[in-house]
C-alpha cells in the first residue's frame, strides 16, 4: 500500500494545486495520456497521485479510499454530515476562495437581513399560497444556516448551474450560491443580505480519518507532511 493523495483532475484548481505543492518541493505529474486519471508524486517517497473531480474527493476521503485530498471546504461541509469526525482539515491552501451567500433581488428594498427575509417569506406565502423558493445546490449548508437564524417559511429548489439566473427566469425568488467577486450577482440584479454569509470557502488539504496505513506508509505520510511544512 502507498499513501494516496487526491487532487482535482482538471481546471484552474488543479494548476494552483500543483503550484502550491511545487513551491514546497513536491511535484505532481500526470502519468500517461491527458485523459488518464493517475499520476506520480516526485519529491515524496511512497505517495501516489489520484486525479478526481473536486466533488468526488470528499466521498473518497470519508470512505478511506484516499488518505489525503485537496478540495473546497464548501464541498466537504455540504457532502459530509458531521464532517469533522470523518476528515481532518490540515491546511487552507490560499486559492479557490469563494463565499457561500444568500442573495435576493435588488428590487426588495426592504429586505437587507435574515430577519427581513423571514418576514418577506411569511408575506410571500400569505400572498401566493406557497413558500418562497431559494435556489441552491448547497442544501445541507443552507438549511442548517437558515434554521440557526430562525428563517422557516421557505423551500429549497435544486440548482446545479446558472443559479444566479433562476430569479430572472422565475424558478426561484432568492438564491444561495458561491461567489468570489459578486459580479455575476450584480449582473443579475441580486444583492447579498448583510448577514447572509453562510460559509467562507477555499481549497483545503484534508486527511481521511478512516483510511488505514501500514507502518511504512505512516512514515511516508509523516515525511510528506514534514516536507509540506505541516509535520
Amino acid at each position: 500500500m502507498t499513501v494516496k493523495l487526491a487532487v482535482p483532475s482538471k481546471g484552474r484548481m488543479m494548476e494552483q494545486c500543483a503550484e502550491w505543492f511545487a513551491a514546497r518541493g513536491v511535484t505532481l505529474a500526470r502519468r500517461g495520456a491527458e485523459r488518464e486519471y493517475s499520476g506520480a508524486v516526485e519529491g515524496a517517497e511512497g505517495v501516489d497521485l489520484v486525479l478526481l473531480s473536486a466533488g468526488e474527493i470528499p466521498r473518497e476521503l470519508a470512505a478511506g479510499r484516499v488518505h489525503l485530498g485537496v478540495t473546497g471546504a464548501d464541498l466537504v461541509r455540504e457532502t459530509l454530515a458531521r464532517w469533522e469526525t470523518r476528515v481532518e482539515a490540515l491546511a487552507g491552501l490560499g486559492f479557490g476562495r469563494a463565499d457561500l451567500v444568500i442573495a435576493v433581488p435588488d428590487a426588495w428594498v426592504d429586505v437587507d437581513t435574515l430577519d427581513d427575509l423571514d418576514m418577506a417569506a411569511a408575506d410571500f406565502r400569505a400572498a401566493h399560497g406557497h413558500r418562497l423558493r431559494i435556489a441552491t445546490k448547497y442544501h445541507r449548508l443552507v438549511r442548517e444556516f437558515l434554521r440557526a437564524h430562525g428563517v422557516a417559511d421557505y423551500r429549497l429548489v435544486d440548482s446545479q448551474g446558472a443559479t444566479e439566473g433562476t430569479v430572472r427566469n422565475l424558478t426561484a425568488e432568492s438564491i444561495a450560491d458561491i461567489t468570489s467577486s459578486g459580479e455575476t450577482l450584480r449582473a443579475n440584479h441580486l444583492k447579498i443580505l448583510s448577514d447572509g454569509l453562510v460559509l467562507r470557502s477555499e481549497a483545503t488539504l484534508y486527511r481521511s480519518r478512516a483510511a488505514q496505513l501500514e507502518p511504512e506508509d505512516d512514515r511516508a505520510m509523516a515525511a510528506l507532511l514534514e516536507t509540506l511544512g505541516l509535520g
Side-chain angles (χ1 to χ4, degrees):
M1 182 184 290
T2 57
V3 174
K4 294 186 182 300
L5 167 65
V7 303
S9 59
K10 56 188 175 181
R12 183 63 180 141
M13 185 174 281
M14 180 188 181
E15 296 170 3
Q16 291 175 309
C17 190
E19 291 167 2
W20 187 90
F21 278 86
R24 290 154 182 81
V26 177
T27 301
L28 309 182
R30 186 184 293 272
R31 180 185 292 136
E34 181 67 22
R35 293 182 181 275
E36 290 185 32
Y37 292 103
S38 64
V41 178
E42 300 172 6
E45 294 292 329
V47 183
D48 281 347
L49 183 64
V50 180
L51 301 174
L52 299 169
S53 73
E56 291 175 307
I57 291 174
R59 180 190 66 215
E60 296 302 296
L61 285 164
R65 289 187 286 265
V66 298
H67 303 89
L68 297 168
V70 175
T71 189
D74 58 313
L75 296 175
V76 165
R77 298 186 189 205
E78 174 63 22
T79 304
L80 304 180
R82 300 176 62 237
W83 68 272
E84 304 99 324
T85 67
R86 306 172 75 181
V87 298
E88 176 189 1
L90 297 179
L93 305 190
F95 58 85
R97 288 177 172 151
D99 295 338
L100 175 57
V101 299
I102 308 290
V104 300
D106 286 336
W108 292 12
V109 294
D110 295 328
V111 179
D112 181 60
T113 67
L114 290 165
D115 283 344
D116 296 336
L117 179 64
D118 187 44
M119 289 187 287
D123 292 343
F124 183 89
R125 187 172 189 183
H128 298 280
H130 63 85
R131 291 182 174 180
L132 181 145
R133 297 165 298 176
I134 302 175
T136 189
K137 68 176 180 180
Y138 296 96
H139 291 244
R140 183 196 306 278
L141 285 169
V142 172
R143 188 177 294 111
E144 291 176 354
F145 178 78
L146 293 177
R147 183 187 302 122
H149 289 83
V151 181
D153 237 346
Y154 70 91
R155 68 183 177 94
L156 300 181
V157 293
D158 192 53
S159 175
Q160 294 297 319
T163 302
E164 297 92 343
T166 56
V167 174
R168 176 176 289 179
N169 294 331
L170 305 180
T171 57
E173 286 71 49
S174 176
I175 73 163
D177 201 17
I178 284 285
T179 182
S180 53
S181 67
E183 290 182 10
T184 306
L185 292 174
R186 290 189 290 272
N188 284 276
H189 308 291
L190 298 170
K191 63 180 180 180
I192 301 170
L193 295 181
S194 60
D195 54 356
L197 175 64
V198 179
L199 174 70
R200 292 195 187 280
S201 181
E202 68 175 313
T204 302
L205 177 63
Y206 291 94
R207 174 162 49 190
S208 170
R209 295 190 184 276
Q212 300 299 310
L213 287 171
E214 299 296 333
E216 62 270 24
D217 301 321
D218 225 356
R219 290 190 288 273
M221 172 76 83
L224 173 61
L225 295 183
E226 184 71 27
T227 299
L228 297 176
L230 303 174

